Amino acid sequence: MQVHNFEKVWLGAALLLIVGFIATISYGTVGAGVAMVDDSGGQIDPQAVQSGETGTTFDDPGIVKENESHYVVYVVAQQFQFVPGSGDNPIRVPANTLVTFKVTSADVLHGFAITETNINTMVIPGQVAEVTARFDETGTYGLVCHEYCGAGHHTMGGSVEVVPESQYNATEVTN
């Protein structure tokens, strides 16, 4: 059987693309450390979150000071708001500190993304998503839900205000 030269070229190109795709995926999972969302943040009962009876900080979400340079922000996403974060209740954190966001959903699948940062995660009912970042620049950052969560999805947003450390009021911290 005779294989035409053009067929050999296209066959070689297709095999090269397949090998390239496999190499890219392998590098992304091993070399660059890209990983799937896991349950390292823990699990929680979404009905208990909705009723405020979890026995955890999610019952009164807000900012907890771990130490001088690290804050943990507990956020509950629910149709169609972030608590805290939406409306007149922005998340306020000091600049030049490490901030860990622990986010859970009280009802349906949501997204949690802070504009102009690398913070972007899915918020799944029953799981606690955990992301950490350092805010070096002061300003207001947008907080958006990037997963369709219902008819009012387009209104689900909020803000994160990063203020200079000298202007940060310690009374804003929950615990």
Side-chain angles (χ1 to χ4, degrees):
M1 176 170 134
Q2 173 102 10
V3 177
H4 197 274
N5 286 338
F6 285 126
E7 289 178 345
K8 290 179 184 176
V9 169
W10 282 110
L11 182 62
L15 290 174
L16 188 63
L17 281 172
I18 291 170
V19 169
F21 290 146
I22 292 172
T24 301
I25 292 170
S26 299
Y27 172 74
T29 57
V30 177
V34 175
M36 295 295 292
V37 176
D38 60 8
D39 62 354
S40 63
Q43 295 185 345
I44 195 165
D45 179 22
Q47 283 78 25
V49 172
Q50 208 165 32
S51 63
E53 299 171 353
T54 65
T56 68
T57 311
F58 286 110
D59 292 342
D60 185 24
I63 304 166
V64 176
K65 185 175 184 178
E66 292 286 310
N67 57 48
E68 288 301 317
S69 61
H70 185 220
Y71 290 83
V72 178
V73 180
Y74 290 86
V75 180
V76 174
Q78 57 193 26
Q79 292 179 323
F80 298 98
Q81 63 180 341
F82 295 104
V83 179
S86 294
D88 295 334
N89 190 18
I91 298 170
R92 287 177 47 94
V93 294
N96 301 313
T97 58
L98 198 62
V99 180
T100 298
F101 292 90
K102 292 188 177 190
V103 190
T104 192
S105 172
D107 44 31
V108 297
L109 181 71
H110 293 282
F112 183 83
I114 301 176
T115 58
E116 300 179 38
T117 70
N118 63 348
I119 295 176
N120 182 349
T121 188
M122 289 177 68
V123 184
I124 302 168
Q127 293 188 4
V128 178
E130 190 173 311
V131 290
T132 301
R134 177 179 298 278
F135 293 95
D136 295 325
E137 296 182 25
T138 60
T140 301
Y141 296 83
L143 176 61
V144 296
C145 175
H146 57 75
E147 296 287 340
Y148 182 74
C149 56
H153 167 72
H154 64 284
T155 64
M156 188 169 176
S159 61
V160 176
E161 293 179 2
V162 180
V163 298
E165 290 177 85
S166 60
Q167 295 178 9
Y168 188 73
N169 186 354
T171 60
E172 297 177 39
V173 177
T174 303
N175 293 331

